[in-house]
């Protein structure tokens, strides 16, 4: 769902090929190896650490960015968290980063970063393969993705799901809108089954790409087994247009308009089983 809210002007026109992805993975592994096997910085002075570490970090992050870009420009929270263990570099703006880069002078700390990055990237590849019509599949599905199929008629839980982010936000939106939020509604036959639920309002973040992060739980006051089997979930992305340049008094008089920027509708239940 995170990726589906996009947006007719930037559709996914083709999926990445196995050959192209293999080349990008090889580049990532080479940069990770160089990052790991760099000369033991613990025996060097601080000036050497500050001079050499940014180059290794920049090359590693660039290889991760190239991989994510090929996989529909998605940056998962696991990728963001792993990159947060590295210092800031030019290709990441507004990052949540490691404050004390000297801890990477210890090789075991660098190994933990690479392990976390590798796991996050492999999970992203698996997610991509299960979402788009790729000409390859991952060898084995990880346990966290293998969610068991359940009969909806026996589920008394309320309808709830977690919304992480809207990805691939156009730069024009980032400079023209603020207060991005999602409106989620359950419908059947065009009629709403309950009141729509809304996320909080957020600004555009720029880590590897422009995205709006909510990481919020959306809950509907409806039990799953009470829903019609043809129920649909509609998610609409809204934002408030920024006022034109002017004085503070003039801006205060202007009425802020909320615009629908994109939407997606999907069935709640699968009839493939």
């Amino acid at each position: 769902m995170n990726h589906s809210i996009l947006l007719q002007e930037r559709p996914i026109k083709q999926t990445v090929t196995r050959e192209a992805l293999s080349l990008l993975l090889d580049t990532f592994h080479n940069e990770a190896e160089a990052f790991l096997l760099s000369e033991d910085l613990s025996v060097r002075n601080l000036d050497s650490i500050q001079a050499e570490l940014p180059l290794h970090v920049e090359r590693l992050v660039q290889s991760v960015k190239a991989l994510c870009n090929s996989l529909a420009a998605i940056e998962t929270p696991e990728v963001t968290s792993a990159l947060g263990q590295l210092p800031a570099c030019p290709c990441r703006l507004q990052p949540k980063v490691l404050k004390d880069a000297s801890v990477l002078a210890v090789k075991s700390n660098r190994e933990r970063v690479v392990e976390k990055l590798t796991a996050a990237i492999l999970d992203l590849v698996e997610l991509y393969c299960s979402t788009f019509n790729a000409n390859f599949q991952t060898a084995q599905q990880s346990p966290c993705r293998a969610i068991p199929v359940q009969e909806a008629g026996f589920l008394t839980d309320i309808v709830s799901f977690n919304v992480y982010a809207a990805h691939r936000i156009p730069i024009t939106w980032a400079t023209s809108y603020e207060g991005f939020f999602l409106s989620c509604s359950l419908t059947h036959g065009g009629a709403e089954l309950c009141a729509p639920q809304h996320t909080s309002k957020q600004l555009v973040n720029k880590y590897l790409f422009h995205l709006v992060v909510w990481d919020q739980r959306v809950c509907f006051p409806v039990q799953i087994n009470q829903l019609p089997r043809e129920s649909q979930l509609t998610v609409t992305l809204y934002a408030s247009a920024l006022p034109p340049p002017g004085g503070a008094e003039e801006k205060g008089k202007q009425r802020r308009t909320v615009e629908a920027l994109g939407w997606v509708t999907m069935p709640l239940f699968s009839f493939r089983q």
Side-chain angles (χ1 to χ4, degrees):
M1 186 192 314
N2 295 341
H3 176 67
S4 297
I5 304 179
L6 237 288
L7 317 161
Q8 301 173 356
E9 59 192 64
R10 302 182 68 196
I12 297 296
K13 296 182 179 178
Q14 62 182 18
T15 53
V16 66
T17 64
R18 177 172 182 163
E19 293 74 17
L21 185 60
S22 295
L23 288 174
L24 293 171
L25 286 170
D26 287 343
T27 301
F28 165 73
H29 288 305
N30 290 337
E31 296 300 340
E33 190 72 11
F35 176 69
L36 286 175
L37 299 180
S38 56
E39 186 175 353
D40 190 353
L41 299 178
S42 61
V43 300
R44 312 277 293 280
N45 58 43
L46 183 59
D47 290 337
S48 296
I49 294 176
Q50 293 175 338
E52 295 187 12
L53 185 61
L55 177 61
H56 291 295
V57 170
E58 176 71 12
R59 292 175 65 92
L60 180 60
V61 173
Q62 286 285 9
S63 68
V64 174
K65 184 174 183 178
L67 268 167
C68 293
N69 188 60
S70 70
L71 299 171
I74 300 298
E75 180 179 353
T76 63
E78 292 78 16
V79 170
T80 301
S81 176
L83 291 176
Q85 297 183 26
L86 296 171
C89 60
C91 65
R92 294 184 73 215
L93 302 178
Q94 302 176 4
K96 300 176 182 178
V97 298
L98 179 72
K99 301 301 181 184
D100 183 11
S102 64
V103 300
L104 294 178
V106 181
K107 185 176 181 180
S108 61
N109 291 336
R110 300 199 300 274
E111 289 175 342
R112 280 193 287 270
V113 173
V114 171
E115 288 174 2
K116 191 172 182 180
L117 262 179
T118 302
I121 289 172
L122 293 179
D123 282 346
L124 176 57
V125 172
E126 186 175 296
L127 176 63
Y128 182 90
C129 291
S130 65
T131 304
F132 299 104
N133 186 26
N135 67 345
F136 59 94
Q137 292 292 325
T138 51
Q140 186 175 3
Q141 191 177 43
S142 62
C144 64
R145 303 286 184 195
I147 302 175
V149 176
Q150 301 182 64
E151 173 59 47
F154 298 110
L155 295 178
T156 58
D157 298 336
I158 63 172
V159 179
S160 65
F161 53 87
N162 192 70
V163 175
Y164 175 63
H167 300 265
R168 301 174 69 228
I169 298 294
I171 184 61
T172 53
W173 290 7
T175 57
S176 303
Y177 297 94
E178 64 180 1
F180 292 81
F181 70 94
L182 296 178
S183 176
C184 308
S185 60
L186 294 176
T187 61
H188 178 251
E192 290 187 344
L193 298 174
C194 60
Q197 303 296 308
H198 305 291
T199 64
S200 58
K201 294 183 178 181
Q202 300 293 336
L203 299 174
V204 173
N205 292 302
K206 174 65 166 66
Y207 299 150
L208 292 178
F209 311 100
H210 288 94
L211 69 164
V212 181
V213 178
W214 294 281
D215 198 11
Q216 181 176 337
R217 195 76 180 173
V218 175
C219 300
F220 290 94
V222 181
Q223 291 182 201
I224 295 175
N225 62 354
Q226 298 299 314
L227 290 172
R229 296 300 174 258
E230 297 79 16
S231 298
Q232 293 188 316
L233 172 66
T234 299
V235 181
T236 306
L237 176 64
Y238 289 94
S240 301
L242 289 170
E249 182 177 348
E250 181 180 348
K251 290 182 179 179
K253 295 179 181 178
Q254 294 173 343
R255 183 177 180 182
R256 305 298 300 278
T257 59
V258 176
E259 300 181 24
L261 302 178
W263 59 273
V264 61
T265 297
M266 64 195 79
L268 277 185
F269 302 107
S270 171
F271 296 94
R272 297 179 180 177
Q273 300 295 329

